Amino acid sequence: FIDGTFGYPLIVKPSRQGSSVGITIFHTRPEDPYTRLKREVAAGPGRTESELVRLLGPKEDPVWDAIKKAVECNEDKNENNAAIVERYIPGKEITVSILGDKALPVIEIRPHSNVYDYKSKYTAGETDYVCPAQLDESLSKEIQNTALKVHKLLGCEVYSRVDFRLDNESQFSNNNFYFLEINTLPGM
C-alpha cells in the first residue's frame, strides 16, 4: 500500500505532536529481514529458509513500525490518534515570520544532522539559521508573499511563523516550495 500510494522518499509523523517528535524519514524503500533472508538462502548452502525464519522471528515492516511509533508519540492519547504518512520533500527547510501585515525575511534552517528534529531544534549549536536565506530575490519575495497569504487565509492577525520546504535538490526541480504548516504561537 505505502509503496504504490506514496513512493519514496516519505515521512511518517504523529498527527497530534509538535517539535518533530516521533518523525521517521525513509529516503528509499527499507529492506525487511525476509527479503535479505530469501537472498541469503538463494545465494548458497547453509541454513534453510524455514530455519532462518524461525531465528528471525515475526516478519518486520520498518514503515509499519514507524507508523506505530508515531501513533504512540501523539500528545493527546485517545482513540482518534493517527499517523501522517506523506511524501518527503528533499531540499531546504525555510520559514517566514509574519508580524501584522508584514512578512519578515526568509530564514533557511540548516540542521547539522540533515534532519530538523527535536534535538536540532532545542540543542544549542545543532542548527544554523541563515537570515536572510541565500535565495534569489524573486524567489524570496514569492515565498514571503505566499506566507502572508497563508497567514491571512487562516485568519491569523498578530503574528505567526509559516514553514515551507524548498525542493531545489532534484534535477527536475525549479525551486518549488511547499507549505508545511503555520505556527500561531511560534518560537520566532
Side-chain angles (χ1 to χ4, degrees):
F1 172 76
I2 296 289
D3 292 349
T5 303
F6 299 101
Y8 292 89
L10 64 84
I11 185 168
V12 179
K13 53 191 175 182
S15 62
R16 297 170 184 252
Q17 184 55 270
S19 297
S20 301
V21 171
I23 66 167
T24 306
I25 298 170
F26 294 94
H27 294 281
T28 59
R29 182 173 194 243
E31 181 179 55
D32 68 75
Y34 284 83
T35 303
R36 236 180 3 261
L37 160 75
K38 288 178 184 176
R39 205 173 43 250
E40 288 172 10
V41 169
R47 298 182 185 269
T48 65
E49 185 172 344
S50 61
E51 286 177 300
L52 290 171
V53 168
R54 194 171 6 91
L55 290 172
L56 284 174
K59 186 171 182 178
E60 298 173 11
D61 180 342
V63 176
W64 181 246
D65 291 344
I67 291 169
K68 290 189 289 189
K69 175 182 126 185
V71 169
E72 290 169 5
C73 286
N74 278 313
E75 214 169 61
D76 182 18
K77 306 289 185 203
N78 66 43
E79 69 278 355
N80 295 321
N81 279 333
I84 298 169
V85 180
E86 60 191 13
R87 185 172 81 91
Y88 175 73
I89 303 159
K92 296 178 180 180
E93 185 97 19
I94 55 175
T95 191
V96 177
S97 294
I98 305 293
L99 289 175
D101 285 335
K102 182 176 181 185
L104 300 180
V106 178
I107 299 171
E108 180 183 350
I109 301 165
R110 294 182 182 169
H112 298 178
S113 67
N114 294 322
V115 176
Y116 195 46
D117 58 6
Y118 187 87
K119 181 181 177 192
S120 297
K121 291 178 182 185
Y122 299 109
T123 305
E126 291 291 322
T127 300
D128 296 323
Y129 300 91
V130 180
C131 182
Q134 297 171 348
L135 302 173
D136 178 76
E137 176 87 21
S138 63
L139 179 59
S140 287
K141 288 286 183 212
E142 186 179 359
I143 292 168
Q144 287 174 298
N145 290 339
T146 300
L148 189 56
K149 286 178 187 175
V150 168
H151 172 86
K152 290 178 179 180
L153 179 71
L154 295 177
C156 299
E157 295 177 4
V158 180
Y159 58 84
S160 69
R161 191 191 73 228
V162 187
D163 298 339
F164 298 92
R165 289 290 291 181
L166 176 62
D167 178 6
N168 65 350
E169 289 189 350
S170 71
Q171 64 184 15
F172 305 107
S173 175
N174 190 15
N175 285 326
N176 295 316
F177 59 95
Y178 301 86
F179 167 68
L180 294 179
E181 65 180 352
I182 190 166
N183 295 279
T184 56
L185 192 56
M188 298 196 297

